Amino acid sequence: MKLRAPQPGWTAKADVIVIGSGVAGLTTALQIRAHDLSVLLVTKSLIDAGSTKWAQGGIAAALGPGDSPEDHERDTLVAGAGLCDDEAVHVLVTEGPEAVRKLIARGAKFDRSETGEIALTREGGHLRNRILHAGGDATGAEVSRALLTAVNDDPGIEVVENALVIDALKNKDGVVCGVTLHVIGEGSRDGVGRAIARAVVVATGGLGQVYSQTTNPSVSTGDGVALALRAGAEVADVEFIQFHPTVLWIGGSSRGQQPLISEAVRGEGAILRNQKVKPS
Ligand SMILES: Cc1cc2nc3c(=O)[nH]c(=O)nc-3n(C[C@H](O)[C@H](O)[C@H](O)COP(=O)(O)OP(=O)(O)OC[C@H]3O[C@@H](n4cnc5c(N)ncnc54)[C@H](O)[C@@H]3O)c2cc1C
């Protein structure tokens, strides 16, 4: 016998539903608003709970003097050792500088040098200084803060927190026209509901939590990818999961999100050792 969810107790409508409130979901919501369409932004925990606020070291973009998207592309392809999606790399390096300028226009404050220029540092694989950062190693928290402020200031975006999206809904032609979701906790909506829209954007982040140890936060469980698969979407490259090489060892029995030792530490020249060094 199939276990069935209860009938939806409420219905919401918008032009576009965005699932997820990390940098991808928040940026998409703001971009959609630039076309004067209404947005329903749903997120399964608190609005700042994804990986975005945990990002530390910074953002790579060809912004420094003498740097270029071509140089950034070359470094990325070399570091990718033949595994890169060339088109994705091209988009990343050519659109990156403009995306950073947009973040600044939306209120993100990156660290500056004494002369007022954006301070750029270097990280693994880059032959130039092209990593911008905020608050030292609080880059993600600053990006998240700026985007959340912009989203909260926009009356055309309805945000529903604690809203776990369960499945996509399809119309009679088999086209996705919304989602079912379960709101657990206090908020503007409650219980099982449905949301209807012309388009649904899945911006649900990574899935590091399927492993017993990860640097990803508890919401990174991959259920967004799973619901897309159930709806018939093609997914690609799910085998690429980031495991940071520098994680603070807090004991072999520790499970779930582990503390990252910032990538900036390596970028600034720290050397990785695979053995304990006796104190002198
Ligand atoms: C510790 C750490 C350090 C990092 N450092 C850097 C760095 O220095 N530089 C860098 O470029 N990148 C870094 N990253 C990677 C970067 O943070 C991520 O690539 C980026 O934040 C992903 O953004 P996102 O919007 O795709 O996902 P997320 O920010 O994870 O957002 C996903 C959202 O989807 C929601 N969600 C998931 N499933 C559902 C569901 N079923 N229903 C409703 N909502 C759902 C989540 O609650 C969340 O709001 C780091 C990541 C970690 C974990």
Side-chain angles (χ1 to χ4, degrees):
M1 201 177 89
K2 277 190 177 168
L3 188 63
R4 295 197 181 278
Q7 284 299 310
W10 52 271
T11 301
K13 284 189 180 153
D15 290 316
V16 181
I17 297 164
V18 176
I19 315 172
S21 54
V23 63
L26 297 172
T27 304
T28 305
L30 293 167
Q31 300 283 88
I32 293 166
R33 287 295 297 141
H35 298 277
D36 214 22
L37 298 168
S38 62
V39 176
L40 180 70
L41 182 83
V42 293
T43 188
K44 73 176 171 182
S45 179
L46 295 180
I47 195 162
D48 67 345
S51 284
T52 298
K53 78 166 177 195
W54 293 95
Q56 299 183 347
I59 301 171
L63 291 163
D67 200 0
S68 69
E70 291 73 28
D71 285 357
H72 190 181
E73 189 165 25
R74 196 174 320 112
D75 290 354
T76 307
L77 292 174
V78 169
L83 294 172
C84 292
D85 175 332
D86 291 2
E87 200 187 330
V89 172
H90 189 71
V91 168
L92 177 94
V93 299
T94 51
E95 296 185 9
E98 185 50 30
V100 167
R101 283 189 274 273
K102 243 183 206 161
L103 276 175
I104 294 169
R106 285 177 174 146
K109 291 187 174 38
F110 293 103
D111 295 337
R112 304 253 168 194
S113 65
E114 280 170 8
T115 53
E117 303 297 314
I118 289 180
L120 296 170
T121 187
R122 194 173 298 199
E123 282 188 2
H126 297 281
L127 294 182
R128 285 183 184 278
N129 289 7
R130 61 166 74 99
I131 311 296
L132 56 148
H133 43 87
D137 66 355
T139 313
E142 173 57 13
V143 167
S144 182
R145 183 205 61 77
L147 293 176
L148 284 177
T149 304
V151 163
N152 286 331
D153 285 349
D154 191 327
I157 303 176
E158 182 190 351
V159 176
V160 188
E161 291 182 305
N162 300 311
L164 173 72
V165 174
I166 299 164
D167 261 319
L169 292 170
K170 290 184 177 175
N171 65 18
K172 61 178 175 11
D173 299 321
V175 176
V176 170
C177 62
V179 294
T180 53
L181 60 176
H182 193 175
V183 181
I184 303 163
E186 288 181 20
S188 50
R189 315 260 180 184
D190 193 22
V192 174
R194 89 186 120 208
I196 307 295
R198 289 154 59 187
V200 176
V201 178
V202 179
T204 51
L207 42 83
Q209 285 279 341
V210 302
Y211 296 89
S212 59
Q213 286 148 326
T214 174
T215 50
N216 288 186
S218 60
V219 291
S220 302
T221 52
D223 40 313
V225 178
L227 76 88
L229 276 171
R230 286 195 296 276
E234 273 182 33
V235 305
D237 301 333
V238 279
E239 73 276 28
F240 289 100
I241 294 176
Q242 184 182 28
F243 287 94
H244 288 100
T246 46
V247 173
L248 188 66
W249 171 254
I250 51 174
S253 59
S254 173
R255 294 284 177 268
Q257 187 178 12
Q258 311 290 305
L260 172 67
I261 299 170
S262 173
E263 282 154 88
V265 171
R266 278 172 279 131
E268 294 298 325
I271 297 165
L272 282 178
R273 295 186 189 278
N274 63 0
Q275 61 189 41
K276 283 183 189 161
V277 179
K278 284 190 189 147
S280 51

